[in-house]
Each structure stands twice: as C-alpha cells, then as structure tokens.
C-alpha cells in the first residue's frame, strides 16, 4: 500500500502567500487606475504624444515610489512592533517562567484542549522552544519569519509599475484618433481581471468586486477627462 498524500498547504505560509498575491493585485490595480486617470485627463487637454508620455512616466514613477515608501514605512513599523513584543516576551520568560507556563496553558485551554492536555502541551512546547511557543500562540507571530520591509517595498513598486505600464502604453502607442478608445477599453478589461483576481484570492464573489472596480476606474477616467477637456478649452 502507498502512503496517503495530502498536498494542501497549512499554517501561516499559505495565508502569507495569499496576502502577498492580494497586495500585488491591488498594487497593480492602483497603478492602472491612477495612471489611466492621469493620462486620460491630459488627453482631454492635448493630443501631443510627448506631453502624454511625460505625464504618464511622471505618474508611474511618482506612484510607484510613493507606494514603495508607504509600504516600507508601514511594514517597518509592524516589524518594530513585533520585535518589541518578542523582546518583552523573552524578558517575561526569563523573569517569571512559571507564570508564563500557566499563561500558555490557559491559552491552549481556550483553543479547546482539556486542562491536563493543555498543561502537558504547554510543558512540551516550553521545553522545545518557549519563545517560539508564546510568540505563535499568544502573539500570533512567527519569530523566524518576520515580514521584510524591503521585500514589501519592492513588491509594491513592481506591482504598481506593471499596472501603470498598461494605460501608459495604451495612450502613446496607438494613432492619435484611437488613443482614448484604446486606453479606456484596455483599462476596463484590466480592471475586470484585477477585480476578479482580488475577489477570488479573498474567497469572495467576483461579480460585486468586478462591478466596483470597473465603476471606480470608469468614474476616475471620466472625471479627469472632463477636467482636462475644460482646461484645454480654456487654453490653460
């Protein structure tokens, strides 16, 4: 007989991967919408290819750098908090080990174990690695897998850049008469894809997410095009 296999992923690694994928999809979505709104707004005022390219590149670089910086600061703050919590836990384990053992026992009891089983599990976990046990059960932190702010920053930078390239290329590559139609169509198709992907990654119904995504992108492009047209007509 062959040993049964079970390929389903468990633990925090799967959730972490899904969070990264969802963040990448949402970052790309931000790049699509913000850059599309920018270039469509400029297209409302002028059909000069150089102006459109300059505006699109400026929006891409500003947006990607802003996303990367924001993600770096956010994740760095989270990492600092996790390290502070681990340092406090390490000190408590050193100064009051019995109280910490009792605390771990009670936490395991809250998860459905009987008192005796929880105590035995707490003792074994403490003997193996007390800090890791408390970090995972009490704090929900894996001390061996803290989030890297540089990884998060680069991921956000790349996701936004990839998303922003679509409207940028769509507005500068086609002939002047087709630029707006090609850009709007390609952006709306891309928003359908990112809306569907984000919903599926979050185990939600795709239809509402797609409708919200497309409606938001269409509204952004419509508003910026209107403003650009008004400014262009006024000679600004």
């Amino acid at each position: 007989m062959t040993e049964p296999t079970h390929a389903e992923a468990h633990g925090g690694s799967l959730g972490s991967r899904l969070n990264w994928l969802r963040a990448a999809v949402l970052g790309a979505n931000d790049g699509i919408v913000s850059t599309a709104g920018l270039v469509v707004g400029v297209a409302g005022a002028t059909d000069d290819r150089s102006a459109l390219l300059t505006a699109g590149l400026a929006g891409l670089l500003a947006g990607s750098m802003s996303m990367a910086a924001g993600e770096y600061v956010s994740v760095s703050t989270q990492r600092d908090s996790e390290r502070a919590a681990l340092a406090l836990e390490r000190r408590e384990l050193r100064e009051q080990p019995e109280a910490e053992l009792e605390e771990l026992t009670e936490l395991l009891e809250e998860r459905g174990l009987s008192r005796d089983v929880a105590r035995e599990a707490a003792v074994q976990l403490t003997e193996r690695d007390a800090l890791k046990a408390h970090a995972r059960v009490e704090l929900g932190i894996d001390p061996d897998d803290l989030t890297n702010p540089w990884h998060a920053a680069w991921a956000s930078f790349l996701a936004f850049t990839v998303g922003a390239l679509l409207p940028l290329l769509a507005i500068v590559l086609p002939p002047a008469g087709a630029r707006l139609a090609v850009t709007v169509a390609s952006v709306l198709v891309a928003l359908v894809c990112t809306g569907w992907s984000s919903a599926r990654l979050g185990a939600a119904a795709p239809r509402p997410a797609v409708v919200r995504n497309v409606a938001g992108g269409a509204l952004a492009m419509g508003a910026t095009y209107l403003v650009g047209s008004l400014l262009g007509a006024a000679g600004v």
Side-chain angles (χ1 to χ4, degrees):
M1 295 180 62
T2 58
E3 289 293 328
T5 59
H6 186 48
E8 182 183 354
H10 292 277
S13 60
L14 176 60
S16 178
R17 286 195 298 271
L18 289 177
N19 285 336
W20 279 106
L21 285 171
R22 191 153 44 241
V25 170
L26 294 176
N29 193 79
D30 287 343
I32 293 169
V33 174
S34 61
T35 307
L38 176 61
V39 297
V40 166
V42 175
T46 178
D47 61 355
D48 182 70
R49 191 188 302 268
S50 296
L52 292 170
L53 179 60
T54 300
L57 284 175
L60 184 154
L61 290 173
S64 58
M65 293 298 292
S66 175
M67 288 284 290
E71 195 69 15
Y72 178 83
V73 170
S74 174
V75 174
S76 293
T77 301
Q78 175 187 337
R79 188 181 177 94
D80 290 344
S81 298
E82 291 174 343
R83 284 176 167 171
L86 289 172
L88 176 61
E89 198 64 43
R90 190 179 290 110
R91 189 182 72 210
E92 290 176 344
L93 284 167
R94 184 175 61 251
E95 295 177 353
Q96 39 189 334
E98 287 302 320
E100 289 298 297
L101 179 61
E102 178 60 27
E103 181 182 38
L104 182 57
T105 301
E106 292 174 356
L107 289 169
L108 292 173
E109 279 189 273
E110 292 174 2
R111 297 192 173 194
L113 299 181
S114 66
R115 172 69 186 182
D116 291 341
V117 173
R119 183 70 177 187
E120 178 61 26
V123 169
Q124 292 189 23
L125 289 171
T126 299
E127 290 175 350
R128 178 175 297 178
D129 192 325
L131 178 61
K132 184 177 292 186
H134 280 266
R136 289 179 172 174
V137 177
E138 180 182 349
L139 305 175
I141 298 173
D142 184 349
D144 297 328
D145 190 27
L146 298 182
T147 306
N148 188 317
W150 285 108
H151 291 171
W154 277 111
S156 293
F157 179 90
L158 292 174
F160 187 97
T161 299
V162 169
L165 281 173
L166 173 68
L168 175 59
L169 295 176
I171 202 73
V172 299
L173 293 182
R179 285 174 187 161
L180 187 60
V182 170
T183 301
V184 171
S186 59
V187 165
L188 293 180
V189 170
L191 292 177
V192 169
C193 295
T194 55
W196 183 88
S197 300
S198 62
R200 296 300 296 172
L201 288 170
R207 183 183 178 86
V210 169
V211 171
R212 288 193 299 266
N213 217 28
V214 171
L219 180 61
M221 289 187 289
T224 55
Y225 182 76
L226 176 62
V227 172
S229 298
L230 294 174
L231 291 175
V236 178

